[in-house]
Amino acid sequence: MSQPEAMALATSDKRGRASVRYVLLKQVDERGFVFFTNMGSRKGREIKANPYVSFAIHWKPIDKQVRVEGRIERVSDEEADTYWDTRPRLSQLGALASHQSAVITHREILTQRWLRLEQKYRNRAVPRPREWTGVRIIPDRIEFWEEEEHRLHHRDLYVRSRSGWRRQLLQP
Ligand SMILES: Cc1cc2nc3c(=O)[nH]c(=O)nc-3n(C[C@H](O)[C@H](O)[C@H](O)COP(=O)(O)O)c2cc1C
């Protein structure tokens, strides 16, 4: 399992058109699931238009899948800064150089921009771009899927209600 924290994240625009891509799950706690990205990206724009998202993770070596649905909120600037500070300098420069999801005519434009930023911030901290932040998915449905014999897989669904989480078994 090379990257067990890779999750396929689905978003949709205000017309309901879906798009999916992998992102890395970086934090999990009682508040939800956090990944980091540039809010100016396609996914960022879609999340602003429709805050309901879904993700799935598949762990083949243990034959399990986890699916989550919920609403997103941007993490605080303090949380985003704390995580930004843990990133390697070269990744920080990459994030600063890239206007994620925008069209570019030549790759050299990007590498030149990266080189200029590398010079500029040679002896000082690389600032976090304002649009680069953490996004927390606050779950209201979580499904644990486990492969079983005869294709009779096990599916445990937890649905959040006002009184807490309700558990239901689903047919495979
Ligand atoms: C394994 C893997 C992990 C990735 N992790 C992230 C991530 O944590 N954040 C991110 O913004 N993009 C990540 N990417 C890149 C995204 O898949 C995607 O190309 C990028 O975010 C732009 O997506 P968008 O145009 O839909 O916004 C990852 C790609 C792969 C293959």
Side-chain angles (χ1 to χ4, degrees), residues 57-162:
I57 302 184
H58 177 215
W59 294 306
K60 179 59 193 162
I62 54 171
D63 288 326
K64 288 181 194 222
Q65 170 184 242
V66 179
R67 290 171 65 185
V68 174
E69 291 170 40
R71 199 188 154 85
I72 65 98
E73 69 175 21
R74 230 176 128 137
V75 304
S76 66
D77 283 344
E78 291 72 35
E79 283 178 88
D81 286 338
T82 302
Y83 179 69
W84 176 259
D85 292 344
T86 68
R87 300 203 82 204
R89 197 183 126 73
L90 297 184
S91 316
Q92 291 177 333
L93 287 167
L96 193 58
S98 166
H99 304 151
Q100 196 177 50
S101 310
V103 173
I104 196 163
T105 40
H106 305 288
R107 213 184 140 70
E108 290 68 48
I109 298 174
L110 190 59
T111 45
Q112 287 303 323
R113 198 187 293 146
W114 190 94
L115 286 169
R116 275 200 307 278
L117 289 168
E118 207 270 325
Q119 288 290 328
K120 183 171 172 186
Y121 293 106
R122 182 143 285 182
N123 297 312
R124 46 199 172 116
V126 182
R128 176 173 65 85
R130 240 165 48 88
E131 284 292 76
W132 191 97
T133 189
V135 176
R136 177 171 288 113
I137 301 164
I138 301 157
D140 51 37
R141 286 170 82 94
I142 304 180
E143 185 198 316
F144 298 95
W145 180 99
E146 212 170 327
E147 193 163 317
E148 293 286 355
E149 276 188 332
H150 316 304
R151 297 208 165 256
L152 297 179
H153 311 309
H154 188 75
R155 296 180 68 190
D156 251 335
L157 174 66
Y158 290 82
V159 181
R160 197 199 288 267
S161 68
R162 277 205 198 101

Side-chain angles (χ1 to χ4, degrees), residues 3 21-24 36-37 41-43 100-101:
Q3 266 189 314
R21 82 288 291 149
Y22 281 93
V23 292
L24 296 181
F36 290 84
T37 196
S41 67
R42 177 177 177 184
K43 80 182 88 47
Q100 196 177 50
S101 310

